[in-house]
Amino acid sequence: MSDLAYRRELDGVRAIAVLSVVLFHVGYPDMLGGYVGVDIFFVLSGYLICGQTYMRLEQGTYSVTEFFARRIRRLSTAYALCFLVTALLANAFFLRSEMGIVADGFLGSITFTNNFNLMNSVGYFSAPAHENPFLHTWSLSIEEQFYIVLPMLILLTRRNRTVFAWLLGVLFVASLGLTLFSGDLIHDREERFFSSAFRVWELAAGGLIFLVTYHRLIPAKVPFLPLVGLVLVIAPVNLLDSSHLYPGWATVAPVLGTVILIAFAAPGHSWVAKALAVRPMAYIGRISYGTYLWHWPVLVGALYYGVTLTDERRAVLVLVSLALGALSYHFVEMPVRRISVRGDGKRRLYMLFAGQALVLLGVAVYLLQQPGKAAPGEDAKLEALKAEVMNVHPGWQSCWDKSTPATFCKLGVPGQASGYVLWGDSMANSAFGALDAYGKARGEAGYLITRPGCGPLLGAGPKAECIAFNDRVFAYLDSAPRMDVFLFARWFYYSEAEPLLRPDGSVAEENFPLFVDSLNAALDRLTARHRVIVINHVPDFPQSVPKSMLRTLRFGSEPLHLSREEFDALRGPTIEAVARAAEAHGAVHVAPHDLFCDDGVCHHEVDGVPLFVDNVHLGPKGNEVLLFVLNEALKKEGRP
């Protein structure tokens, strides 16, 4: 025998993996670590593929062409259909200005390089990622890369199974070492999520546990270990979230748990295995591949149409994904799996793959020509809304990370001595228009000091680079003439969303107290020399405002809605903390949320013009509103 015996309980483990991913993606709040399901898939794939490969090497029946034929039979037809349907639907409904991300994702998916594509794009956990219908194919790309490289290495080692075993060990140690100890030396926290080098150890772990069990190097039964494995697989789904460096030390838990379940969870002596092997779990495991393929395009389509996700609608999306997975399994995957990987069957599989590849490449060429083309029927109102998508000031990119007067971006009247500065993260950069107009109305010049993801705090920051940048800004302001210092940031990002570091690199056990302390420390230092104006929160929406307005106009989808009650529930504690800190240090407190969110509703547009360029950053119209709020707040302080 050169095939591993079917183990129904492992289909149950696959069920846990796919349900974790799907429930996480549709947004159930208790499933914030559901992305670990992909790690479970990697280990199971490594166990199956490396196990079958080793057994064929041992028997002298290993064939590279048959190996690829099996991969074609198992994977290609299902993903080809899913990718094709997704691309054609996106082409039919997405705006031409949005087709760039579709074309890049489609090309990366069909060439198994989408993880590299995404490493240079948006992060996995960011809001714009939900507009990419091919985001989820990064994991399939990594698996396919492994399947392509593995046979080449086997040929280079002359089909020696002992060398193959050592090779798995070397890959495991090298990749795990990089994952645990490289920090951000190779990739930042967004890039590492998609990196093949940080995932190979998971596939190799599956191969290694096959070798250990195949050669009976460990006992088949160890009391309570299957339960430990199950806990290690399930607990991270509830305990992890986007704040964890991943993959990293936290990844060890789901990988180790999967390895334990493979090694020790057998139905003959484990009630855990019996539970995993029940028919519903095993069936979901069998349809997991199709479910994974289809769930993300379904979710992106729903969000693109403007569906607001309630728990009931999330449940519907999960059921639709499972239904599509079942259809894929019974009517696409199973018929192809009946084709032999030998003789005429192998030729048929390669011809099928070649035909699919030609069609997909043709579609890719077509999609790559779409960005920038005017879609039929787009009228002036659509064009105006499209123009508001990321309609930032011309210096948006060039203003980042400048920390000296010679390099600061200039506000207000050119040629004048600076009388004010605007300092903050990307929110400050998005307020360029308001503070530029502020200076021109008063005949004053000012500076913009901004770094993305770095709020104006003292002694804390989400990255060490933020703390260092802020220290340079404080050093400048300590010696600068007295001026007005405007502070504007997405304060919630630092109070609750992103883990804060101290100057010694340690992570705060609780974010909120450190945020409050670091904001108070910043205000204490600044108010000793300058007049400080603290700009509190503006509302942030679950989707890009101009894009949502476009969808409402085109499809009649549900408009964006954020009540003041919802906004206060989400951001209230942070808003109150910022207001108290400003009052305690005699700073001027500006509350734009009181105008943006009046009459019980947080407004995202005025007279059909969006106030934001995405889900939170101010557009030109939003800057007009902010300028009005600033002027009103300063009038109350006795300055016109």
Side-chain angles (χ1 to χ4, degrees):
M1 285 288 293
S2 56
D3 286 320
L4 289 173
Y6 172 65
R7 295 178 57 182
R8 178 179 286 187
E9 71 275 10
L10 295 189
D11 271 335
V13 179
R14 288 187 182 90
I16 292 174
V18 75
L19 290 175
S20 298
V21 173
V22 174
L23 294 174
F24 160 62
H25 280 159
V26 299
Y28 281 105
D30 292 331
M31 307 294 289
L32 296 180
Y35 53 85
V36 304
V38 174
D39 304 290
I40 299 170
F41 278 130
F42 281 151
V43 178
L44 292 171
S45 295
Y47 171 76
L48 176 65
I49 299 305
C50 294
Q52 291 179 346
T53 298
Y54 183 85
M55 292 168 69
R56 290 187 174 94
L57 287 172
E58 185 178 55
Q59 296 164 12
T61 60
Y62 181 79
S63 165
V64 172
T65 56
E66 286 185 11
F67 176 86
F68 285 126
R70 286 186 175 85
R71 296 301 89 213
I72 292 169
R73 186 175 65 177
R74 175 68 180 88
L75 302 174
S76 70
T77 306
Y79 76 63
L81 178 62
C82 178
F83 294 172
L84 183 62
V85 171
T86 300
L88 294 179
L89 288 175
N91 184 64
F93 293 104
F94 277 40
L95 297 169
R96 298 306 90 181
S97 59
E98 299 169 321
M99 284 303 294
I101 193 170
V102 175
D104 290 343
F106 182 80
L107 183 61
S109 298
I110 66 173
T111 57
F112 315 129
T113 58
N114 205 30
N115 62 313
F116 297 118
N117 173 42
L118 291 166
M119 285 172 68
N120 301 310
S121 182
V122 298
Y124 181 75
F125 300 100
S126 64
H130 287 77
E131 299 170 1
N132 181 355
F134 295 103
L135 176 78
H136 66 315
T137 66
W138 68 271
S139 59
L140 183 61
S141 292
I142 291 177
E143 281 202 35
E144 292 289 0
Q145 291 159 23
F146 184 73
Y147 300 153
I148 291 169
V149 172
L150 186 66
M152 297 179 181
L153 293 175
I154 290 171
L155 291 178
L156 288 174
T157 56
R158 300 175 181 267
R159 292 183 167 87
N160 187 305
R161 70 178 189 275
T162 302
V163 175
F164 173 71
W166 278 102
L167 181 64
L168 287 179
V170 170
L171 289 174
F172 175 81
V173 172
S175 176
L176 180 60
L178 284 174
T179 302
L180 298 183
F181 302 112
S182 66
D184 58 1
L185 293 176
I186 301 176
H187 299 305
D188 63 25
R189 64 186 301 119
E190 299 291 357
E191 293 172 340
R192 69 186 288 129
F193 192 90
F194 300 115
S195 174
S196 303
F198 288 75
R199 299 288 185 170
V200 169
W201 69 277
E202 301 174 29
L203 289 152
L208 291 173
I209 195 56
F210 164 80
L211 293 174
V212 169
T213 55
Y214 183 71
H215 291 290
R216 300 180 181 180
L217 301 178
I218 56 175
K221 179 181 179 181
V222 178
F224 303 112
L225 261 188
L227 179 60
V228 172
L230 186 64
V231 170
L232 289 173
V233 163
I234 294 177
V237 175
N238 303 103
L239 298 178
L240 299 181
D241 56 35
S242 61
S243 67
H244 289 79
L245 188 68
Y246 208 89
W249 285 96
T251 319
V252 173
V255 171
L256 179 60
T258 308
V259 165
I260 290 173
L261 290 174
I262 291 172
F264 300 106
H269 53 70
S270 169
W271 67 265
V272 170
K274 292 176 182 177
L276 291 171
V278 297
R279 286 189 175 184
M281 291 292 286
Y283 181 73
I284 292 174
R286 288 198 296 275
I287 66 171
S288 60
Y289 176 52
T291 301
Y292 182 83
L293 283 176
W294 285 101
H295 86 282
W296 185 254
V298 167
L299 175 61
V300 170
L303 293 176
Y304 188 87
Y305 188 73
V307 173
T308 301
L309 294 182
T310 61
D311 283 347
E312 292 78 9
R313 290 173 179 173
R314 291 186 178 101
V316 170
L317 290 175
V318 173
L319 292 175
V320 169
S321 301
L322 290 169
L324 289 172
L327 290 172
S328 174
Y329 176 75
H330 291 291
F331 298 107
V332 180
E333 299 169 48
M334 287 307 296
V336 177
R337 290 188 198 180
R338 297 188 184 103
I339 302 174
S340 172
V341 295
R342 298 182 177 89
D344 290 339
K346 181 164 64 175
R347 283 190 289 273
R348 285 176 61 196
L349 288 169
Y350 276 103
M351 289 178 64
L352 177 64
F353 180 75
Q356 292 170 355
L358 286 174
V359 171
L360 295 176
L361 285 171
V363 173
V365 171
Y366 173 78
L367 293 177
L368 289 168
Q369 297 173 348
Q370 299 311 300
K373 285 187 176 181
E378 287 185 353
D379 60 16
K381 192 171 184 180
L382 278 175
E383 290 293 341
L385 278 175
K386 281 170 59 178
E388 291 298 317
V389 177
M390 286 311 295
N391 182 21
V392 294
H393 67 93
W396 173 267
Q397 291 294 343
S398 60
C399 289
W400 299 122
D401 206 19
K402 304 297 189 294
S403 54
T404 63
T407 58
F408 292 149
C409 281
K410 307 302 188 290
L411 301 165
V413 180
Q416 300 293 319
S418 179
Y420 67 100
V421 299
L422 167 61
W423 178 18
D425 56 15
S426 57
M427 293 306 302
N429 204 351
S430 79
F432 180 97
L435 272 295
D436 185 52
Y438 168 87
K440 288 175 178 176
R442 289 162 174 74
E444 298 178 7
Y447 294 139
L448 170 62
I449 307 174
T450 183
R451 181 183 171 98
C454 295
L457 305 174
L458 179 60
K463 298 179 181 179
E465 294 87 347
C466 291
I467 297 174
F469 174 80
N470 287 347
D471 285 345
R472 293 193 296 272
V473 177
F474 277 115
Y476 157 70
L477 292 173
D478 285 345
S479 59
R482 178 177 171 80
M483 62 176 74
D484 288 345
V485 177
F486 293 84
L487 303 180
F488 190 23
R490 194 176 184 184
W491 302 109
F492 172 81
Y493 182 75
Y494 311 101
S495 66
E496 296 186 52
E498 191 71 10
L500 291 179
L501 303 177
R502 300 183 181 88
D504 62 4
S506 62
V507 180
E509 293 182 3
E510 293 186 46
N511 244 38
F512 205 92
L514 181 56
F515 163 73
V516 172
D517 290 345
S518 59
L519 177 59
N520 277 289
L523 292 175
D524 188 59
R525 185 163 170 178
L526 291 171
T527 53
R529 189 175 185 88
H530 306 284
R531 185 173 76 151
V532 179
I533 301 94
V534 180
I535 305 172
N536 216 318
H537 256 285
V538 297
D540 45 352
F541 293 86
Q543 302 169 35
S544 166
V545 168
K547 287 185 179 181
S548 177
M549 293 175 67
L550 278 166
R551 293 160 195 157
T552 300
L553 185 62
R554 295 180 72 204
F555 310 131
S557 56
E558 186 178 341
L560 276 177
H561 177 79
L562 179 67
S563 70
R564 177 62 187 262
E565 183 180 4
E566 291 172 318
F567 174 68
D568 286 343
L570 291 169
R571 305 291 180 254
T574 299
I575 290 173
E576 291 176 9
V578 172
R580 285 197 302 269
E583 181 181 356
H585 293 85
V588 179
H589 177 243
V590 180
H593 52 282
D594 285 339
L595 185 57
F596 278 85
C597 300
D598 62 356
D599 300 324
V601 175
C602 292
H603 301 285
H604 62 275
E605 54 88 17
V606 173
D607 297 329
V609 180
L611 297 172
F612 304 87
V613 298
D614 53 17
N615 66 310
V616 67
H617 296 102
L618 296 173
K621 196 70 174 179
N623 272 272
E624 292 178 15
V625 176
L626 178 62
L627 179 60
F628 175 81
V629 175
L630 280 176
N631 287 331
E632 290 299 304
L634 292 172
K635 283 180 184 178
K636 290 181 181 179
E637 294 295 317
R639 177 174 175 175

